[in-house]
Amino acid sequence: MANYPHIDGIEIKAALGEGGMATVYRGVQARLGREVAVKVMEPLLLKDPSFAARFEKEARTSASLNHPGIVTIHDIGFADKVPYIVMEYLPGGSLAGMIEPGPIEPDKALAIFASVAAALDYAHGEGFIHRDVKPDNILFRKDGAPVLCDFGIARAVGSATRLTKTGMSVGTPHYMSPEQARGKQLDGRSDLYSLGVVLYEMLTGKVPFEAEDSVAVAIAHVQDPVPPLPNHLAKYQPLLDKLLAK
């Protein structure tokens, strides 16, 4: 039998995925018979209080945002002193998995793009920037509706609060805006740049900038022009050029 964490009121059924900071499980809330996803922080990270603070911040930020394009948070708590988040279960997989076989049909890509853009517009209006928009953080409901997840490094616009070392840029290099790569002050335009990279990847099956290491990728975002789309996708170039403007 698998060694799943014990969480009161929830029967853990399976592990869904594991990252550097947490493991996500599929479970059932016994009283409601509702399928949920349970994100449990890696216990070893408890040695550094900043990780627990970031984990709790993710839950509270997501819970404060009430939008159909943003994952719903049901509860937060502790299991043997380890924090966990109970959230909406999204069975439709990730955008990363959808892109893996190759480009997505343009109309579908634009529909996903528009839905995530609306969720970001709402979050920005509520005073939050996501800072880690990427295909892994866009999941799908059973009906195919895209949902933005993982507000672990979101920050209130203009906030001076830092949960990372001073000067360290946070995010995923392939999707990072130039200003984020340089550790500058951010606003919602940084998320739109990242979403532009996601749109480019949906349309072409690859990210616009590849390099040997993350530093070289970040430099490309800061300095290099956006690679043009193939001729059959040229009508989307003006949109991408505006999203990916430096």
Side-chain angles (χ1 to χ4, degrees):
M1 185 175 179
N3 186 25
Y4 296 142
H6 175 76
I7 297 174
D8 288 342
I10 297 177
E11 181 182 357
I12 301 296
K13 296 288 189 180
L16 294 174
E18 185 174 350
M21 188 173 179
T23 300
V24 180
Y25 300 91
R26 178 175 63 84
V28 176
Q29 283 184 310
R31 289 185 178 180
L32 298 176
R34 173 172 62 186
E35 278 195 302
V36 293
V38 184
K39 188 173 186 177
V40 182
M41 196 177 91
E42 170 57 51
L44 291 174
L45 297 179
L46 287 174
K47 295 177 182 179
D48 185 341
S50 69
F51 285 104
R54 171 180 159 181
F55 197 83
E56 182 179 356
K57 182 169 172 285
E58 174 187 352
R60 296 190 181 282
T61 300
S62 298
S64 72
L65 298 173
N66 182 20
H67 187 275
I70 295 174
V71 66
T72 300
I73 303 298
H74 298 311
D75 196 12
I76 59 174
F78 293 86
D80 295 326
K81 298 182 180 180
V82 177
Y84 65 82
I85 305 170
V86 182
M87 65 185 78
E88 171 186 9
Y89 174 56
L90 298 163
S94 70
L95 180 58
M98 185 181 292
I99 294 171
E100 191 172 355
I104 297 173
E105 193 273 325
D107 286 347
K108 185 172 184 177
L110 286 173
I112 294 168
F113 163 81
S115 181
V116 177
L120 287 172
D121 182 57
Y122 168 79
H124 297 160
E126 293 296 306
F128 291 98
I129 45 180
H130 189 283
R131 299 203 301 161
D132 198 19
V133 177
K134 60 183 179 181
D136 288 300
N137 288 338
I138 299 168
L139 305 181
F140 294 91
R141 294 194 174 96
K142 189 175 182 179
D143 65 0
V147 179
L148 184 61
C149 303
D150 198 347
F151 279 78
I153 61 174
R155 184 182 295 172
V157 175
S159 170
T161 302
R162 289 186 182 270
L163 295 179
T164 56
K165 296 177 182 177
T166 302
M168 181 184 293
S169 59
V170 184
T172 305
H174 285 98
Y175 304 92
M176 196 179 284
S177 69
E179 60 270 30
Q180 190 172 7
R182 297 174 64 194
K184 300 291 186 180
Q185 183 83 17
L186 305 181
D187 60 27
R189 290 172 292 182
S190 179
D191 282 344
L192 293 180
Y193 183 97
S194 300
L195 185 57
V197 177
V198 172
L199 178 59
Y200 185 97
E201 188 177 8
M202 285 194 288
L203 291 172
T204 66
K206 59 185 180 181
V207 291
F209 301 115
E210 287 280 16
E212 292 183 359
D213 55 57
S214 59
V215 173
V217 171
I219 291 172
H221 278 292
V222 172
Q223 297 182 348
D224 294 356
V226 179
L229 291 169
N231 288 337
H232 69 284
L233 297 171
K235 66 179 180 180
Y236 306 112
Q237 193 69 51
L239 173 60
L240 274 171
D241 287 344
K242 190 168 185 179
L243 288 164
L244 298 176
K246 301 188 189 300

